[in-house]
Amino acid sequence: MLLFNTDLLLDDPFVFFVLFAAVGLALVIGISVHEFSHAAAANLQGDMTATRLGRLTLNPLAHLHPMGTLLIVVVGVGFGRPVPVNPRNLRSGRRGMAFVSAAGPASNLVLAIMIAGLFQSGLIDPGGFSRQTLQSADLGAWASITAAFAVRLNLLLAFFNLLPVPPLDGGGILAGIAPRAALPVVSALQRVGPPLLLMAVLLTLVSDVNVLGPLFTPVNALADRLIGG
């Protein structure tokens, strides 16, 4: 990811920091929408915990997690501050928890499609990402690259979080829709999921074993198709 592109940093620091700012803004938008959507879904289900704690907001300061944000920039996947939910307050019980969990990835997918629509309609130029353009004070080019990163990162946030591994949202969805007979298996997965996820991220980060490659490849291909150009 961008922080590992030391060649660009040394060769053209200005372009590097333009891209870094674009990634940062795209991340702020994506994570804020994701966590806000969890809080809004919990609210709809009758749990006001997140609302009382100030999480029913698009203010990024309420949602950004320093380590989670850094991981997205470095590795390509990460997380925001988890939205607190009290399952006992949810009107639909376990199914309500699945709804709350699904709300975050769904919001990122919708946001990615909406921004991609700006490229598809011609309102944003999908070809304005050359180094020469980024070196100039071309606000249109900077907006284009930020929008392109927003499409790509929102898709990554959506599909990564849908992996059925706790503590990702996919784990919450699985716990909410699994038959009661399968709940012991889900409970065991909740214990082993976090270390397995951490191992996958570390292997991708520090070794040649790209565990997350099977996720990155199709998501990047979808992003390219949506952006066009």
Side-chain angles (χ1 to χ4, degrees):
M1 293 299 286
L2 185 60
L3 284 185
F4 284 170
N5 199 339
T6 52
D7 289 343
L8 178 60
L9 175 60
L10 296 175
D11 182 50
D12 198 332
F14 181 78
V15 169
F16 177 90
F17 285 110
V18 168
L19 293 176
F20 189 85
V23 170
L25 181 56
L27 279 175
V28 165
I29 294 170
I31 292 175
S32 299
V33 167
H34 182 103
E35 301 301 341
F36 166 80
S37 297
H38 282 315
N43 224 19
L44 288 173
Q45 279 288 311
D47 179 31
M48 306 293 290
T49 304
T51 302
R52 286 194 295 268
L53 293 174
R55 301 298 300 278
L56 190 66
T57 176
L58 288 171
N59 182 352
L61 296 179
H63 302 302
L64 293 181
H65 187 290
M67 180 57 68
T69 303
L70 180 62
L71 279 175
I72 297 180
V73 176
V74 174
V75 188
V77 293
F79 51 90
R81 287 177 54 207
V83 169
V85 180
N86 186 343
R88 290 175 296 181
N89 294 336
L90 300 176
R91 282 191 289 270
S92 301
R94 251 187 341 121
R95 300 294 186 268
M97 195 65 215
F99 173 73
V100 173
S101 297
S107 69
N108 289 127
L109 185 57
V110 169
L111 183 58
I113 292 172
M114 289 175 61
I115 297 173
L118 299 177
F119 286 101
Q120 296 293 333
S121 66
L123 293 175
I124 296 181
D125 178 11
F129 308 147
S130 69
R131 180 178 295 194
Q132 183 178 2
T133 304
L134 294 176
Q135 284 172 337
S136 66
D138 187 337
L139 297 181
W142 294 358
S144 294
I145 195 68
T146 302
F149 276 122
V151 172
R152 200 171 302 277
L153 290 173
N154 273 281
L155 288 176
L156 279 171
L157 283 170
F159 288 104
F160 177 69
N161 274 286
L162 284 174
L163 294 176
V165 181
L168 298 178
D169 295 325
I173 296 170
L174 180 64
I177 65 175
R180 289 193 178 277
L183 290 181
V185 177
V186 174
S187 179
L189 185 59
Q190 288 174 337
R191 292 192 296 272
V192 302
L196 286 176
L197 188 62
L198 179 60
M199 186 181 303
V201 171
L202 289 176
L203 283 173
T204 301
L205 179 61
V206 302
S207 76
D208 294 329
V209 182
N210 189 1
V211 179
L212 298 175
L215 173 67
F216 288 154
T217 301
V219 169
N220 281 324
L222 176 59
D224 291 339
R225 186 177 183 86
L226 288 174
I227 294 168

